[in-house]
Structure formats: structure tokens, C-alpha cells
Amino acid sequence: MFMENKKLVPPDGGWGWIVVIGVSAVNLCTRSIEQSFGLLFGDLLSNLGVETTGAAVIMSTLDALINFSGLFVGPLIRTFSYRKVSLAGSILVASGLIMTSWASSMAHIIATYSIINGLGVGLTASATFVALNNYFLKRRGQAIGYSLAGTAFGMMLMPQAVTLLLDEFGFRGAIFLLGGFALNSLVGSILLQPAKWHFVPDEKCIEDGEYKQEMETIKEDGEEEETEQEEVNKLISNHLVVKTFEELKAGGLTRKSTFPRNFSTMSFAGNRAGRRRTSKESIMDSYSRLDFTGSSIQLAIDPPDSPEILSSGDNHPSRLRRNLSYPGVQFSSQNKVIKEVQKEPLKVQEKQKKTSWQRLVEFMDFDLLQDPIYLNLVFGLSVFYVAEQNFKMVMPFFFKSIGYDKTDVALFLSVQAFTDILARLILPPICDRLDVSKRTLFMSGIFFLGLCRSILAHQTDYVWILVWLVIAGFVRGAALINFAITISEYATLEKLPAAFGLHNVGKGLFVVTMGPILGKIRDATASYPICLHSQTCLIMTCVLAWSIEYCILYCRNRTTESEKSDTDTTNT
């Protein structure tokens, strides 16, 4: 009897919603302090005599570590698991904050807060993102949107909490307690159980290619990868049975006319008791594709890793023998089959010979850098990220330059943050139901976001500023819920950690190279509106690059369809 193989897919819910809560907790405990950096470190930097310059160096180093840690995220998650990487990142964040509590110099702050804490934040951000993508398929947008909404809500509350802690305990006591608060991210990380534990049977008929992508998972706790020798063993056993049966179907196996018209029975056995049967699945799969009528055949096959199958003579009884109950059954070309089997391990060994550089490229998944579509995707996301970071830095100074005080600025930012969170809560379920790619939705969102910010740059009236901030905040939330999903939508789950990590590295490189250019534009023109327009130009660069790619792919598809149509017409 053959057991039916059930197709298993991510639950798209169930424990996945617990994972969403865990991801929100991790991000809340590790990232919410970033928005309160100036409030928390302001007095210490002032006492050290570095103030603005020191803050810029510390934050730049922090951002660089968060992004460049992506270079190692892919190999780390593939080697350990996203849960272990998240746990390690949580420990680094808490350790960095606690060690910063006795900082008395810039070097100390950079070493503990920027480097150790930044590395931890980068690891947790990537690991939690990969975890969500392993649990959700159709509701992926909702899961990521809800987790980001929780994080944004925490960022709104953290400034008030930091203020209370500073008043009560001072800088050193406040950051020490925040380090202890960051340890709560360990609880969130523990909730990131291996997705394979919660897979459910797929009730729908899924095509083979689509199903293969859904079943790709990141190696988790307790799972072992197959060794190279096992791959060889599978190849040998599968080749032996398939080749032999091909001979049968081609006429190498003959049957007398006296054979009864009954379905055949076949037994597979190894002639060594107690030894592990290798590649049983391959043999059974090969057998299931055959149609035997009128013959009863018995195959006794040695485990492929035994020396007998490769070294014994062609007539070795344990390799392949016919059932004597039907003496008319004869195998032809046995020698040819065995010789071809003997050649297979040599072919596999030749494929396994790789240079050190090839192994490094494969281990780090640098082959993604040869994909022009992926590179264009990273380019667009990176230039938008630079514009977004610069906008958050410039906005308070812009409002101050047109005559508004700190209270007004705080209100403006809070209004924008509120509508941003509102969009992240409302839109994900709608976006998941649309038959439009997340990348297209993101591109549409940032297009309107750029327009809103350019209009906002010319507003001075209190009411109109609030109106455009409400619109811009909502559009920003609509765009950012699809920001990271554009990567997971393009990459397979196997490649996702590396794809997301290299994307972070790309963001870091663009921030380092293009961020200062936007600052120089502001200094050279002495105009904040021009600086805001330059950010819009960067956003439109992303839209333009992706639109060109869409046009090229559309033209190629039209050409392919036209050629196929011409071929079908000619054949007809």
C-alpha cells in the first residue's frame, strides 16, 4: 500500500498571529528608543561638548551597523534559524544599552550603543521579517502591517516614558532600565517557533511549481540537511529502477502469452538485515509512475551505499534478479544499466568540485547580485529609504524655519504619526485582496507621497499644514506596509534572508553616499523647500527605474506571445 502525501502549506493565521505579537514585542523593545535619541542623550552629549556633531556620528554609525549587518543575516539564519538569530540580536540590544549606562566618552557610546546595539537591532529586524514570511502567504501584508503598527504605537509612547525616566533616575538610570526593558524582546523571540511545526494540509489543488515555492522553509531547530552522500544515494537508486523499467517498457522485458492479466506485485528489499534503507522515497516514486500488467517481479536491491552494488560482477544475485515463478520474464541490457549507475557518482563528484570563491558566493547567496531585476528592486527601495530618512531629519527644522515652536512641531509630527498608524491598520486586509503586486502598490504609494510632500513644502498656514500632514501620513503608511514585502514577493523563502540582508546593505551604502548630498543641497541653497523637492526627486527616481523595467518586461512578453502565435499558426 502507498500512503497519500498531503500537501502542507503555512497556516496564514493560527500560531502566525502569535508570531505577529512576538514580532511587535521584539520591535517595540529594540527599536522604539531610536526616535527618542536626542531626548535621551541630549544632556550627556552637551556635557561632553559634542552635541550636534556627536549625535550625527553616533546615529550614522548606528544606522550603518543596522543595515550592514544584513550581509551576515542570510548565512546566519540558514545555519541556525530565525528564532536563534532573533534571540542573539535581543541579547546584543539589551547588553549594548546596559553597557551604555556608564558611558563617559564618545568612543564608549559608539562602541556600546552604535555598534553592539546596532548589530542587535539589525539581526532582530531581519529575523522577525523572515519569520513572518514563513507563516503567511495570502495574509502576509496584514501580518507585516499589524506588526509595524504596534511598533509605531510604541514609538509614540516612548518619548513620554523617556521623559519620566530621566526626571526620576537621570540618564544612567534611565538607559539602564531601558536595557532591562529590551530584555523583554527575548519573550517575543521565543514565540517565533519553526513555521513547519504549524503547517496545515492544503485543501486546494496547487500547481507543482507554486507548491514548491510554498513548501520552501528556512531550516529550523531539530531539522538536518541531507548530506551530499545521501543525494548521491538517491540518484543511484532512482536511476537504477527508472533505467531498468525503461528497458522493460522499451521491450527489454518480454512476457509469454500465458501471463494472467492481473496487476503486478513488486517487493523491494535490501539483502542486509538491520541496515538503513536509503532513498526509499525515490524508489517508491519511480514505481508509482509505472504500469505493470501481467507480471510479478521481485527486485532485491542492495542499499546504494554498499560496496557490492558498485564493485561486484554484473551477475551478482543481490543486484537484480527475476522472479522464478514467471520464467518467461527476462531482463536485457542489465550490464548497460549497471555501468550507467556506476558513472552517476562520478558525475555528481564533478559537479561538487567548486572553487573557494564559488563556495563563498553560494554560501553568502551573492548570486542574487547577478539578477538585474533584484538589483533594480534594491536600487528603488534604497533611494526611497534615503529620501525618507532625510525627510524625518529635516521636517522639525522646516517647521521651525517658518515660525512654529516646539509644541506646534510636536503636534504636527504626532498627527502625521497617527494617520500613518491608521493606514497600517486599515489598508493591509484590502491590499491582500487586490490582484495587484505589492511592488506596484508601493510604487503608486510613494508617487503620491512625493507629490504631497512637495505641496507641503510650500505651506505656511497652520490649518493647511495639518491637512497635508494628515494626507501625507496616511499615504506614507500605505506605502510602507508594502516596503519590505516587495522583497519577499520577489525572492523565494530559501533566498529571502540573503535577499533582505543584501537589501539592507544596499540601503546602508546609499545612506552613506547620498545622504550627505541632500544635506549639501540644503546648505548650498539655504532653502528647506528645495531640500524637500530634492527628496521628491529621489522618490521619483525609484518610480522611473521600476517603470522602465515594467515596460521592458511588457515588450518582451508581447514579443514572446507574438512568436508563439506565429508558430502555432504555421503548425496549423
Side-chain angles (χ1 to χ4, degrees):
M1 296 180 63
F2 296 97
M3 297 182 63
E4 181 182 358
N5 292 326
K6 294 183 178 180
K7 296 179 180 179
L8 300 177
V9 295
D12 252 338
W15 188 263
W17 296 120
I18 304 299
V19 172
V20 171
I21 296 175
V23 171
S24 297
V26 172
N27 291 336
L28 171 64
C29 297
T30 59
R31 303 215 64 170
S32 56
I33 191 177
E34 294 176 23
Q35 303 297 320
S36 305
F37 171 81
L39 185 62
L40 183 62
F41 285 85
D43 292 339
L44 176 62
L45 295 178
S46 178
N47 294 334
L48 295 176
V50 289
E51 296 190 60
T52 306
T53 303
V57 172
I58 293 171
M59 292 302 294
S60 298
T61 307
L62 174 69
D63 191 71
L65 262 294
I66 291 175
N67 289 306
F68 287 115
S69 64
L71 189 63
F72 311 101
V73 165
L76 286 174
I77 293 179
R78 188 169 58 248
T79 303
F80 300 102
S81 72
Y82 50 73
R83 180 160 64 169
K84 291 181 179 178
V85 172
S86 181
L87 286 169
S90 300
I91 294 173
L92 286 174
V93 171
S95 301
L97 292 176
I98 291 174
M99 288 189 289
T100 306
S101 63
W102 58 80
S104 57
S105 65
M106 270 284 296
H108 190 149
I109 297 174
I110 292 175
T112 56
Y113 181 78
S114 298
I115 297 179
I116 298 178
N117 173 63
L119 180 60
V121 171
L123 293 179
T124 55
S126 300
T128 53
F129 177 74
V130 172
L132 287 175
N133 280 272
N134 274 267
Y135 272 91
F136 292 90
L137 292 174
K138 297 179 181 178
R139 298 179 179 177
R140 186 174 290 169
Q142 296 180 48
I144 295 178
Y146 292 157
S147 66
L148 292 176
T151 305
F153 182 74
M155 289 182 177
M156 290 182 61
L157 296 181
M158 187 56 68
Q160 285 73 24
V162 169
T163 302
L164 292 175
L165 290 174
L166 288 173
D167 293 340
E168 188 70 23
F169 303 102
F171 167 77
R172 303 191 185 281
I175 198 168
F176 186 87
L177 292 175
L178 290 173
F181 175 71
L183 287 173
N184 290 296
S185 60
L186 293 173
V187 178
S189 299
I190 292 174
L191 296 177
L192 309 182
Q193 294 182 357
K196 200 170 184 178
W197 293 1
H198 302 278
F199 275 5
V200 296
D202 185 19
E203 302 297 336
K204 296 181 180 180
C205 180
I206 302 177
E207 297 179 358
D208 291 341
E210 183 181 354
Y211 172 65
K212 181 183 292 185
Q213 181 177 358
E214 291 178 349
M215 283 301 297
E216 288 173 343
T217 56
I218 305 302
K219 182 172 75 71
E220 297 296 344
D221 302 5
E223 297 180 27
E224 296 182 356
E225 295 179 347
E226 294 180 322
T227 62
E228 294 179 353
Q229 183 60 41
E230 288 176 337
E231 293 293 336
V232 174
N233 294 341
K234 283 187 177 182
L235 183 59
I236 295 173
S237 59
N238 188 48
H239 182 86
L240 175 61
V241 176
V242 173
K243 280 291 184 180
T244 304
F245 291 157
E246 286 178 353
E247 294 286 343
L248 180 149
K249 297 174 74 174
L253 186 65
T254 61
R255 177 176 59 84
K256 291 184 178 181
S257 59
T258 57
F259 279 172
R261 302 296 298 176
N262 65 324
F263 288 103
S264 64
T265 59
M266 177 175 288
S267 63
F268 296 85
N271 67 344
R272 290 191 176 187
R275 291 196 57 179
R276 177 175 59 86
R277 294 184 181 183
T278 309
S279 305
K280 180 178 180 182
E281 294 83 356
S282 299
I283 298 175
M284 302 304 283
D285 290 344
S286 301
Y287 171 62
S288 65
R289 293 192 296 268
L290 302 175
D291 181 19
F292 290 99
T293 56
S295 64
S296 177
I297 301 173
Q298 182 185 51
L299 295 181
I301 303 175
D302 269 341
D305 55 351
S306 63
E308 288 84 358
I309 196 169
L310 299 178
S311 62
S312 61
D314 291 341
N315 296 322
H316 192 282
S318 66
R319 177 183 291 111
L320 192 62
R321 58 186 174 85
R322 57 187 175 86
N323 191 338
L324 297 180
S325 61
Y326 293 129
V329 178
Q330 297 179 353
F331 281 95
S332 63
S333 305
Q334 289 187 29
N335 295 341
K336 179 180 178 181
V337 173
I338 301 302
K339 289 180 180 179
E340 290 185 5
V341 173
Q342 292 174 345
K343 293 179 181 179
E344 292 294 344
L346 298 178
K347 294 179 181 179
V348 174
Q349 291 177 3
E350 290 178 0
K351 292 181 180 179
Q352 292 174 354
K353 291 181 180 179
K354 300 177 181 178
T355 64
S356 299
W357 173 249
Q358 289 174 332
R359 292 178 180 176
L360 177 63
V361 169
E362 182 178 349
F363 180 72
M364 301 294 292
D365 287 315
F366 284 158
D367 55 314
L368 285 168
L369 301 180
Q370 298 176 347
D371 185 349
I373 296 179
Y374 174 75
L375 291 177
N376 191 34
L377 179 62
V378 171
F379 169 78
L381 294 175
S382 299
V383 294
F384 170 77
Y385 182 79
V386 173
E388 184 64 23
Q389 292 294 99
N390 193 263
F391 177 80
K392 290 190 295 185
M393 181 181 66
V394 167
M395 281 306 293
F397 298 100
F398 166 66
F399 291 133
K400 184 178 179 181
S401 68
I402 57 178
Y404 291 99
D405 56 21
K406 291 183 179 180
T407 304
D408 295 328
V409 173
L411 176 63
F412 292 156
L413 298 180
S414 297
V415 167
Q416 181 181 239
F418 174 77
T419 55
D420 185 336
I421 295 173
L422 197 63
R424 300 187 192 209
L425 292 174
I426 296 175
L427 295 181
I430 300 175
C431 293
D432 285 343
R433 286 173 171 78
L434 296 177
D435 190 19
V436 182
S437 69
K438 296 296 189 293
R439 185 177 179 184
T440 303
L441 292 175
F442 173 75
M443 183 173 67
S444 303
I446 63 174
F447 176 80
F448 290 107
L449 179 61
L451 294 180
C452 290
R453 288 179 175 176
S454 288
I455 295 174
L456 178 64
H458 295 282
Q459 304 302 318
T460 56
D461 184 73
Y462 187 89
V463 175
W464 281 109
I465 288 177
L466 285 176
V467 169
W468 284 106
L469 281 175
V470 167
I471 299 174
F474 192 86
V475 176
R476 178 180 183 269
L480 290 183
I481 59 175
N482 298 308
F483 178 80
I485 306 181
T486 57
I487 294 292
S488 58
E489 184 181 53
Y490 180 73
T492 62
L493 286 179
E494 181 184 2
K495 292 284 188 180
L496 181 59
F500 190 74
L502 293 175
H503 150 251
N504 282 338
V505 174
K507 289 194 304 182
L509 291 174
F510 273 78
V511 167
V512 172
T513 56
M514 301 188 67
I517 295 177
L518 294 178
K520 290 183 178 180
I521 291 175
R522 159 68 187 86
D523 294 338
T525 61
S527 171
Y528 284 105
I530 293 178
C531 182
L532 295 176
H533 290 319
S534 65
Q535 297 166 13
T536 300
C537 289
L538 276 184
I539 292 175
M540 295 305 172
T541 301
C542 170
V543 175
L544 178 62
W546 289 3
S547 299
I548 293 174
E549 177 193 322
Y550 281 13
C551 292
I552 293 174
L553 293 178
Y554 176 78
C555 293
R556 286 181 180 178
N557 291 335
R558 288 292 301 271
T559 302
T560 303
E561 292 177 359
S562 178
E563 292 176 353
K564 183 178 179 180
S565 178
D566 294 341
T567 303
D568 293 341
T569 303
T570 303
N571 293 336
T572 303

